Amino acid sequence: MSFNFDERVERYHTDSEKWLKYRDQDIIPMWIADTDFRAAPAIQQALSERVEQGVFGYADDQGALAKAAAQWVEKQYHWTIDPDWVLPLSGIKPVFSLLQECLLSADQSSLCHTPIYPPFTQSAHNAQRAQRLIPYPLFDQPDFLYAPLPALTPQERLLFICNPHNPGGKSYSREALHHLAEYAEHYDLWVCSDEIHADLLLDPERRHIPFASLSADSAQRSITLLSAAKAFNLAGLGCAVAIIPNNPLRERVRRAVAQRMAVPNSLGLVATCAAWQQSEAWLVAQRHYLRGNRDHLAESLLQLPALRMVVPDAGFLAWIDASGLQQADPHHWMEQHGLGLTAGAAYGDPQAVRLNFGCCRSRLDEALTRLCNAVEQA
Ligand SMILES: Cc1ncc(COP(=O)(O)O)c(C=O)c1O
């Protein structure tokens, strides 16, 4: 079966946050992290059948999501888990502050790398816990192995990692993960590993390595967050999982989730199971398409020395150092030239922008033409 990622999907009528932001403006939306692609046919079919039932009360999926998650991680990452380790969630973002409130006393703190997807840092503020930011010099040393890890105090108890990384798109090597695992063991840290972009490794030879799969010790200190939202473009359907092998830890998190978070969306449950159980061929085709987009973008940016891009291993987001443009606000400058990217400031780098290339090739080409013209005239 072939899938058409070249289709120019009209998204204004789909309540798209990404597209409505620039409605009536000549700005190509390439910001928030969803793609412009239609969902896989099996997902659309499963949703239609569920909608046809016409009843949408509280759902009990009888363990279907946990079973689908266990089969998926076994097949994709060769990670064997017990479905009992899986906690269904309505989303990943709220878990960051929930974990800090549930696992850290008021005088304990977390750590994470910067730049980073902003909710990691915002969550510390929400949870009223301190957080240490560890610099990850993405533009100069994108291999995570070389991001130095600081000596910690006994109060620092929870390490957040984002693998593959948002915004850098870097996937951590086994060596880098071992380095992190030794560090976590040395300081006896809980490790929350957000692996939401794991299924979008663009090189077909590479396989994602969950932090928790490294060793019995890493499993026992880990909370792994996964969902089909990014790889299958289901972000609006509110469904994810936490995989927690450590029984007492899982029960603590389960209680906190039950008190504070909404249950997963009924349609999200159906869509996620259809993604993980019936849509692998679509995912492989999408990765191939995205790989083409990434390579095209990277080659085009080589012609523009004012812009330096971290070539992502995974996903559809490109982190770009725009300091060479010598603009006070490169994000605003891009908007003035018809490109709606994500501003780097909230991620920890005001001179960077993030470009979402999860779109059809013709739209990417339009954006690149605008970008080249703008940079040449600058
Ligand atoms: C690393 C990362 N984690 C979490 C999320 C959001 O997940 P959710 O929509 O399930 O809250 C995103 C969305 O862009 C993300 O990039």
Side-chain angles (χ1 to χ4, degrees):
M1 188 169 185
S2 67
F3 307 98
N4 180 14
F5 297 101
D6 280 326
E7 181 189 352
R8 287 177 79 90
V9 177
E10 166 58 69
R11 293 194 61 195
Y12 288 119
H13 306 300
T14 65
D15 303 328
S16 162
E17 184 177 358
K18 183 179 176 184
W19 279 80
L20 290 172
K21 178 174 181 187
Y22 294 116
R23 184 169 208 143
D24 302 327
Q25 296 177 70
D26 183 21
I27 296 178
I28 303 175
M30 307 183 97
W31 63 289
I32 197 169
D34 65 22
T35 69
D36 289 342
F37 306 133
R38 284 182 200 284
I43 297 174
Q44 294 185 47
Q45 178 66 27
L47 285 172
S48 299
E49 286 168 14
R50 182 66 184 83
V51 167
E52 194 61 29
Q53 294 173 349
V55 184
F56 307 105
Y58 290 116
D60 175 356
D61 74 343
Q62 302 279 305
L65 181 69
K67 196 169 140 224
Q71 288 167 345
W72 183 253
V73 301
E74 173 81 53
K75 179 147 192 234
Q76 301 298 319
Y77 327 136
H78 297 175
W79 181 28
T80 306
I81 66 162
D82 182 334
D84 286 348
W85 299 350
V86 178
L87 294 186
L89 300 170
S90 52
I92 286 182
K93 202 157 64 170
V95 175
F96 304 148
S97 50
L98 179 143
L99 287 179
Q100 290 168 73
E101 286 164 11
C102 148
L103 301 180
L104 304 177
S105 57
D107 62 342
Q108 292 180 329
S109 56
S110 68
L111 31 144
C112 74
H113 285 86
T114 180
I116 195 78
Y117 173 61
F120 283 100
T121 46
Q122 291 158 354
S123 65
H125 181 72
N126 295 342
Q128 299 184 299
R129 299 292 189 277
Q131 186 176 62
R132 185 204 288 250
L133 296 178
I134 310 170
Y136 177 6
L138 265 166
F139 294 118
D140 300 318
Q141 193 54 271
D143 186 340
F144 181 77
L145 184 57
Y146 301 103
L149 295 167
L152 301 182
T153 68
Q155 301 315 109
E156 293 174 294
R157 301 286 293 117
L158 171 62
L159 171 66
F160 285 107
I161 58 179
C162 183
N163 176 32
H165 184 260
N166 177 4
K170 286 299 176 193
S171 157
Y172 300 174
S173 64
R174 187 171 289 279
E175 202 184 355
L177 287 167
H178 271 300
H179 187 50
L180 273 176
E182 279 167 17
Y183 182 72
E185 189 173 352
H186 181 75
Y187 288 107
D188 193 18
L189 304 173
W190 299 119
V191 177
C192 172
S193 185
D194 179 347
E195 302 181 11
I196 192 173
H197 296 275
D199 297 320
L200 287 170
L201 245 70
L202 300 178
D203 177 351
E205 306 301 318
R206 280 192 69 177
R207 189 182 291 283
H208 171 72
I209 306 169
F211 172 83
S213 71
L214 287 181
S215 67
D217 181 82
S218 61
Q220 287 303 308
R221 56 182 72 257
S222 67
I223 298 121
T224 303
L225 303 174
L226 284 175
S227 87
K230 301 296 159 189
F232 295 92
N233 205 24
L234 303 176
L237 287 178
C239 185
V241 295
I243 302 176
I244 310 178
N246 177 317
N247 294 337
L249 174 63
R250 187 172 62 254
E251 288 318 307
R252 272 166 90 178
V253 177
R254 187 197 302 280
R255 279 196 299 274
V257 166
Q259 280 167 18
R260 297 179 215 185
M261 285 178 69
V263 293
N265 178 296
S266 303
L267 298 179
L269 288 167
V270 168
T272 303
C273 289
W276 286 342
Q277 293 178 321
Q278 300 171 55
S279 305
E280 192 181 353
W282 180 93
L283 176 63
V284 171
Q286 184 202 210
R287 281 197 295 244
H288 177 78
Y289 194 86
L290 288 174
R291 187 162 62 247
N293 275 4
R294 177 202 60 187
D295 294 346
H296 183 44
L297 174 64
E299 271 167 35
S300 306
L301 261 58
L302 281 180
Q303 317 304 318
L304 305 175
L307 300 176
R308 228 170 19 136
M309 164 178 157
V310 179
V311 179
D313 302 320
F316 45 84
L317 306 170
W319 185 238
I320 299 170
D321 173 12
S323 58
L325 293 174
Q326 301 191 322
Q327 297 292 327
D329 182 349
H331 170 253
H332 181 60
W333 184 88
M334 294 276 179
E335 281 186 333
Q336 287 175 321
H337 291 89
L339 295 162
L341 311 190
T342 298
Y347 288 70
D349 185 348
Q351 280 296 319
V353 287
R354 197 191 67 180
L355 185 152
N356 178 339
F357 57 85
C359 59
C360 62
R361 190 74 45 87
S362 61
R363 193 163 278 137
L364 179 60
D365 272 330
E366 257 175 63
L368 287 171
T369 304
R370 288 183 185 197
L371 189 59
C372 291
N373 290 341
V375 173
E376 275 160 21
Q377 286 159 23

